[in-house]
Amino acid sequence: MTGIALQTSIVYGPILSRRLGRSLGINLMPSDCKVCSFNCIYCEYGRTDILTSQPKRSSLPSVAEVHREVEKALRKPRTIEMITFSGNGEPTLHPDFPEIISMVKELRDQLRPAAKLGVLSNASTVYQPEILNALKMVEAPMMKIDAGDDHTFKAINRPKPGIEFSEIIFGLKSLQNLILQTMFVDGDVTNARGQAYEAWVNLVAELQPQKVHIYSIERPTAESNVACVEPKKLQWIAEDLNQRFGIIAEAFWRD
């Protein structure tokens, strides 16, 4: 059992997000399966159907299809505060991701200049120059970092073999408008306490993001042995990060 159904279209929403306001989602992955370079233990979409860094182009929406659907959505008379690349897996895996970012930015500038562009990414491709340059075009590149060391990274995120934690960190250091997002979990594997937590805190201090979004699970997850970190603990982590390093951090949870 999983907590979120797959998105069945290229554009979905807008949905009311605690972090992003009224967010229009863009799904660049297939509508019938989850395609990602990670198989995170906590994913609320469930286990990854296709674990890859190079999805088949034929299974993905074309640039023209994305343009048509995004333009249609932006022309509708409704409030949109954020246009967010997310959906059924890792959006930056789309082979035309840089071109799509540029195209959507142009549409946004024409039709919704007050809306911000955002990308929810696991950061697995951030070290690639063309992806990094595309991410620099958006106002809110929200990159996932759930671990401060390679052991915890592999235990929580379960990346496709060949993805190196060190390369991700290298890429993140080049993203000046970086927003970090961290899912804290407890159970058989944890990043919320002990050495794993200290490694994460120290890495965040090294990366110096403009802000950090902290949250925990709220729905059924890919693996059953994943436990939620309580709001009180999340708030403590946000305050700890700010007090120790002066980094702006905000904890989110469902009331």
Side-chain angles (χ1 to χ4, degrees), residues 189-235:
V189 178
T190 184
N191 56 354
R193 49 187 165 83
Q195 183 177 348
Y197 172 72
E198 288 300 319
W200 176 83
V201 167
N202 289 325
L203 176 59
V204 174
E206 182 181 346
L207 293 173
Q208 286 292 306
Q210 61 170 306
K211 65 179 68 172
V212 182
H213 292 164
I214 296 167
Y215 46 96
S216 190
I217 60 172
E218 296 179 343
R219 302 178 181 88
T221 57
E223 304 300 334
S224 60
N225 58 348
V226 180
C228 175
V229 174
E230 295 300 321
K232 184 177 180 180
K233 176 69 171 181
L234 295 176
Q235 188 60 46

Side-chain angles (χ1 to χ4, degrees), residues 19-158:
R19 291 191 289 157
L20 310 178
R22 290 190 62 81
S23 173
L24 184 75
I26 300 177
N27 172 40
L28 300 183
M29 294 295 105
S31 61
D32 58 352
C33 64
K34 177 186 165 194
V35 177
C36 195
S37 48
F38 287 3
N39 186 23
C40 298
I41 60 174
Y42 59 73
C43 187
E44 295 173 343
Y45 279 109
R47 295 180 181 178
T48 298
D49 298 303
I50 301 176
L51 184 66
T52 182
S53 294
Q54 295 179 312
K56 293 181 179 180
R57 184 185 292 272
S58 60
S59 69
L60 307 176
S62 68
V63 176
E65 289 171 328
V66 176
H67 184 284
R68 181 178 65 248
E69 295 304 314
V70 172
E71 181 178 11
K72 185 193 308 181
L74 294 183
R75 289 189 181 279
K76 291 182 179 180
R78 52 190 174 176
T79 300
I80 298 173
E81 297 171 281
M82 181 78 75
I83 302 166
T84 311
F85 290 85
S86 183
N88 302 338
E90 173 51 38
T92 67
L93 296 182
H94 195 295
D96 298 317
F97 179 75
E99 182 181 352
I100 290 172
I101 284 284
S102 180
M103 175 267 293
V104 172
K105 184 176 186 297
E106 185 175 340
L107 284 174
R108 185 279 308 267
D109 292 346
Q110 294 173 356
L111 302 173
R112 297 283 181 153
K116 294 182 178 180
L117 286 182
V119 177
L120 291 171
S121 170
N122 65 21
S124 62
T125 61
V126 70
Y127 65 92
Q128 300 175 16
E130 64 275 15
I131 301 298
L132 182 62
N133 288 334
L135 291 171
K136 288 178 179 178
M137 298 174 65
V138 309
E139 290 83 12
M142 293 167 279
M143 304 287 107
K144 177 188 300 297
I145 284 291
D146 299 322
D149 61 85
D150 186 65
H151 173 77
T152 308
F153 167 63
K154 289 178 178 175
I156 292 178
N157 300 124
R158 300 189 299 191

Side-chain angles (χ1 to χ4, degrees), residues 155-169:
I156 292 178
N157 300 124
R158 300 189 299 191
K160 178 186 178 295
I163 294 176
E164 299 295 335
F165 187 62
S166 59
E167 291 184 325
I168 292 174
I169 303 309

